[in-house]
Amino acid sequence: MKEVTLIPPAQLDELYGHVELDEIQDVLTELKELHEKLRASEGQMVLDLTGDLGRSRKMLARNKRDLIQAIRAFENDFSAGNFTDEDEILNALMEFSRSLHNYLAMVHSVRDHAYRVLNKLDDDDLRDQYTTKLQETGLAKRGSFVADLRNYVQHRRVPVVTGRIQSHGTNQIIFDREKLATWNDWSSDGQERLMEMEEEFEIEDEIESYQSINETFYDWFISTIGERYVDEIKERDEIIEEIVQIQQDKLINRS
C-alpha cells in the first residue's frame, strides 16, 4: 500500500519560486482536504486497525523467541556436572519467569487488538466467522488456557516451577499441574486444557502449539478483512494517488 504525507513546510518554502503565490494557498488547501478525506475513509480505518494488530503480532513473536531462548539457556547452560552455583540456576529460572510474563502479557494485547478490530468494524458476519474459526482451529480452548495463565501470573504469582537437573545431562523447567489447579479463577476452557496435561509438564510444547495456531488464525483474520473491505481499501488508494498527482503536478514539477 502506498503511504504519503503532506510535503513538509521547509520543502514548501523551497517550492515558492515555482508556484505563483496566489496559487499556493489553493494547492495546500486542496491537499489538506484530501488528507482529511483520507484519514476519514473507511479503507484507512481498516488498514490502521489491521496495522496495529500486525505490530502486536510481531511483538508477540519476538516475546515468544525470548521465552524459548530463556528455556534453552536453562537447558543448555546447566548441564549435569557443569553447574556449581545455585544462584545461577535461580537467576536462569527468574529470566524464564520474566520472559513468560512478557509473552503472556503480549498474548493478552493481541487478543485485545483483535476485539478492537471487531468492535470498530461492527460487522456481525465477520464476528461470527471469527468465533467459528476460533473453535475450528482449537484456539478457543488453548487461548483460554494461555489467557488464564496470564491472569494467574498477573493477579496471583508467577507459577511455581522447578528447574530439574537430570543425571543424564538434560535439564527441564517443570510445571506442577495440581498446584496450578488450586487457583479458583480458571475459565472452563482453560481448566479443561490444564487437566489434559501431565501432572508435571513443560510449558514449551504448549507455547509452541499455541503460537503456531495463533499465527495461522490471525493470518486468516487479516486476510479475510482485506477481502471483505477490498473496495474501501481501493477507494483509499485512489485518494493517495490523487494526492501524489497534485504534489507532482502543482508543486514538484511546476516551473
Side-chain angles (χ1 to χ4, degrees):
M1 298 297 176
K2 298 175 183 176
E3 296 290 347
V4 297
T5 59
L6 284 172
I7 297 174
Q11 291 184 26
L12 286 174
D13 289 340
E14 298 174 3
L15 295 169
Y16 280 168
H18 303 292
V19 183
E20 295 295 331
L21 293 179
D22 59 353
E23 294 180 15
I24 189 67
Q25 189 59 51
D26 291 340
V27 173
L28 295 180
T29 298
E30 186 177 11
L31 285 171
K32 181 178 179 180
E33 289 174 351
L34 283 170
H35 274 276
E36 290 174 350
K37 183 178 179 182
L38 176 64
R39 285 193 295 270
S41 69
E42 190 168 9
Q44 187 63 50
M45 178 188 70
V46 169
L47 292 180
D48 285 345
L49 289 169
T50 55
D52 288 345
L53 180 58
R55 283 185 285 276
S56 292
R57 294 181 65 199
K58 288 181 180 178
M59 292 177 66
L60 177 64
R62 193 171 303 157
N63 285 358
K64 182 255 184 179
R65 289 195 296 270
D66 290 346
L67 175 57
I68 299 303
Q69 286 174 3
I71 294 173
R72 291 286 180 271
F74 180 82
E75 291 176 340
N76 297 332
D77 291 351
F78 301 103
S79 57
N82 288 343
F83 72 94
T84 57
D85 189 344
E86 185 174 345
D87 286 341
E88 291 182 353
I89 299 173
L90 293 176
N91 287 337
L93 288 174
M94 286 178 62
E95 177 61 19
F96 161 76
S97 296
R98 182 192 67 80
S99 299
L100 176 64
H101 178 277
N102 290 346
Y103 176 79
L104 296 174
M106 204 64 231
V107 167
H108 186 75
S109 294
V110 170
R111 191 171 69 166
D112 278 355
H113 278 148
Y115 289 157
R116 180 170 178 265
V117 171
L118 291 170
N119 290 335
K120 285 284 188 179
L121 295 180
D122 196 21
D123 185 329
D124 289 340
D125 185 54
L126 178 63
R127 191 183 298 274
D128 289 343
Q129 288 186 54
Y130 179 93
T131 302
T132 299
K133 196 75 171 180
L134 278 176
Q135 298 296 333
E136 289 177 350
T137 59
L139 191 62
K141 182 190 291 188
R142 290 181 181 274
S144 292
F145 170 76
V146 173
D148 290 347
L149 189 58
R150 178 261 178 191
N151 291 334
Y152 184 103
V153 169
Q154 187 77 18
H155 301 296
R156 189 173 185 182
R157 63 173 180 269
V158 175
V160 176
V161 297
T162 300
R164 181 174 294 169
I165 310 297
Q166 306 283 19
S167 60
H168 52 278
T170 60
N171 313 319
Q172 297 172 298
I173 295 176
I174 303 297
F175 279 66
D176 188 315
R177 185 190 69 191
E178 298 309 316
K179 287 181 180 178
L180 287 172
T182 60
W183 188 47
N184 295 324
D185 290 334
W186 289 99
S187 65
S188 57
D189 278 349
Q191 186 173 45
E192 182 178 344
R193 179 61 188 158
L194 174 65
M195 300 314 293
E196 290 173 354
M197 298 179 186
E198 301 293 332
E199 290 186 10
E200 292 185 334
F201 66 90
E202 297 179 79
I203 198 65
E204 180 178 354
D205 288 344
E206 187 67 17
I207 294 298
E208 291 283 11
S209 179
Y210 170 80
Q211 185 71 19
S212 177
I213 298 172
N214 179 284
E215 290 175 359
T216 299
F217 175 84
Y218 283 109
D219 283 346
W220 164 84
F221 185 49
I222 291 175
S223 175
T224 298
I225 292 172
E227 293 171 1
R228 291 179 70 84
Y229 290 89
V230 63
D231 291 338
E232 289 81 359
I233 293 172
K234 181 179 179 181
E235 290 175 5
R236 174 259 191 193
D237 289 346
E238 289 172 352
I239 297 172
I240 288 179
E241 290 173 1
E242 188 174 357
I243 291 172
V244 171
Q245 197 64 51
I246 291 172
Q247 291 184 163
Q248 290 291 328
D249 293 347
K250 298 185 177 182
L251 295 177
I252 298 172
N253 295 331
R254 182 75 174 266
S255 60

